[in-house]
Amino acid sequence: MEYANHLNEYAPAQSEAQVAEEVARMKEAARSNENAEVYKFCYSAIDLTTLSCTDSVASVTEFARKAAEFNERFPHIPNVASICIYPSFVETVGLAVDGTPMRITSVAGGFPASQTFLEVKALEVAMAIENGADEVDIVLNVGRMLTGEYDEAANEVEVIRAETDPEVVLKVIIESGALKTPELIRKASLLSMFAGADFVKTSTGKIDVAATPEAAVVMCHAIRDYYEKTGRKVGFKAAGGVRTPQDAVLYYTIVREILGEEWCTTDLFRIGASSAANNLLSAIEGHEVKYF
């Protein structure tokens, strides 16, 4: 399908200076959100992530077990939204969290570079879902975005979307740190939504520049503009470098200020994180917590 022409229906991105001014306002507004209730919500929005070359069945099983048993130790804190792992560990996590409401997220589709055959990407996504993934995070083809092959980049997402059941949540990572400019970040976000993304996500966490508040501002404006034209709500996920409670609250504030209170649910806001989980728990409990 031709998607690039639809970009002309949307206003251009803000300038870098305008984005910087908005980020400064968001940082100021975030101070009033640094409290236990917001910390709890941010914790509940985490896709608890382990994406390491050292992951094993044993380590992932223990990781998932701790998440599954979280409410036994912390019954007053809502649990994380999901566990995020490589496709080969989807079944492992499924066994560890069986009988709980824990959702399973898998990166797939040639993560993190998206540099393989489209058939391989689609097959990997299908296999992750067959093994039990409720949600799948794929990477938009950044190389195609950088060379202006917008239809080709979006069509890859469309093909993968067609391989997933409608109830499977598809998150598309635009790798904003590689796109760099507000205009490319906006285009990548819109193209992902045109092609069927349920979420747009900042980063893989595997390159030098991961999530930034600047990218989040641009992406959330694209989500808002898309919603105003189509009536379809698309979620936002910040991932890569989100470590402190203050980081999490800043992204929460950006979402709330630009998209509104109705986006402040785990159906429409996620944080991809590992160390942020313990840091948010420490902020909630008022002392250092090393649960994970």
Side-chain angles (χ1 to χ4, degrees):
M1 186 179 294
E2 292 187 2
Y3 289 105
N5 288 339
H6 292 297
L7 293 171
N8 298 326
E9 300 168 11
Y10 291 79
Q14 297 167 291
S15 68
E16 290 186 2
Q18 289 171 320
V19 172
E21 288 176 7
E22 190 158 1
V23 168
R25 290 195 300 272
M26 295 296 175
K27 288 180 176 179
E28 185 66 29
R31 294 179 185 175
S32 63
N33 291 326
E34 292 176 3
N35 59 68
E37 288 309 305
V38 174
Y39 294 153
K40 286 180 181 179
F41 170 71
C42 288
Y43 183 83
S44 75
I46 288 176
D47 288 341
L48 190 66
T49 302
T50 180
L51 297 171
S52 169
C53 66
T54 61
D55 288 343
S56 65
V57 169
S59 69
V60 171
T61 297
E62 177 63 12
F63 185 72
R65 183 192 64 78
K66 284 190 172 183
E69 297 176 357
F70 174 80
N71 284 130
E72 295 177 13
R73 180 170 170 185
F74 301 96
H76 55 292
I77 301 173
N79 206 350
V80 295
S82 79
I83 298 174
C84 180
I85 53 344
Y86 281 113
S88 57
F89 295 112
V90 168
E91 192 170 6
T92 300
V93 172
L95 292 170
V97 305
D98 188 37
T100 77
M102 183 70 63
R103 295 182 67 80
I104 302 171
T105 297
S106 178
V107 296
F111 180 95
S114 193
Q115 297 287 16
T116 189
F117 303 103
L118 178 56
E119 294 85 353
V120 173
K121 296 179 187 181
L123 178 60
E124 188 177 45
V125 169
M127 290 177 70
I129 294 168
E130 184 178 353
N131 280 359
D134 304 296
E135 307 184 0
V136 177
D137 293 14
I138 66 169
V139 184
L140 188 69
N141 191 315
V142 177
R144 289 191 182 278
M145 286 299 305
L146 293 173
T147 53
E149 299 172 87
Y150 301 145
D151 282 336
E152 291 82 355
N155 275 312
E156 288 193 11
V157 176
E158 179 189 18
V159 168
I160 293 170
R161 173 79 269 184
E163 290 293 323
T164 65
D165 297 329
E167 65 269 19
V168 172
V169 174
L170 181 67
K171 308 189 198 93
V172 177
I173 305 163
I174 66 165
E175 201 68 289
S176 56
L179 298 176
K180 298 181 180 179
T181 68
E183 190 60 36
L184 267 182
I185 291 169
R186 179 173 171 83
K187 285 179 177 177
S189 301
L190 288 169
L191 288 165
S192 298
M193 291 186 280
F194 295 163
D198 297 308
F199 272 76
V200 285
K201 174 179 170 182
T202 58
S203 324
T204 61
K206 301 298 185 181
I207 67 170
D208 291 342
V209 179
T212 65
E214 289 77 12
V217 163
V218 175
M219 293 168 71
C220 286
H221 276 292
I223 291 169
R224 185 191 67 188
D225 294 348
Y226 177 80
Y227 171 68
E228 288 176 352
K229 277 191 178 291
T230 67
R232 187 169 80 90
K233 292 180 178 177
V234 174
F236 168 79
K237 178 175 175 179
V242 185
R243 296 186 177 89
T244 68
Q246 292 74 26
D247 291 337
V249 170
L250 178 56
Y251 290 111
Y252 163 86
T253 302
I254 290 169
V255 168
R256 183 170 182 169
E257 294 292 318
I258 296 175
L259 295 170
E261 186 71 32
E262 58 194 305
W263 255 263
C264 294
T265 73
T266 56
D267 289 334
L268 292 168
F269 175 61
R270 296 288 180 86
I271 298 168
S274 51
S275 61
N278 281 335
N279 293 333
L280 279 164
L281 287 175
S282 298
I284 294 164
E285 296 292 273
H287 59 84
E288 187 176 18
V289 176
K290 292 184 177 180
Y291 182 73
F292 294 103

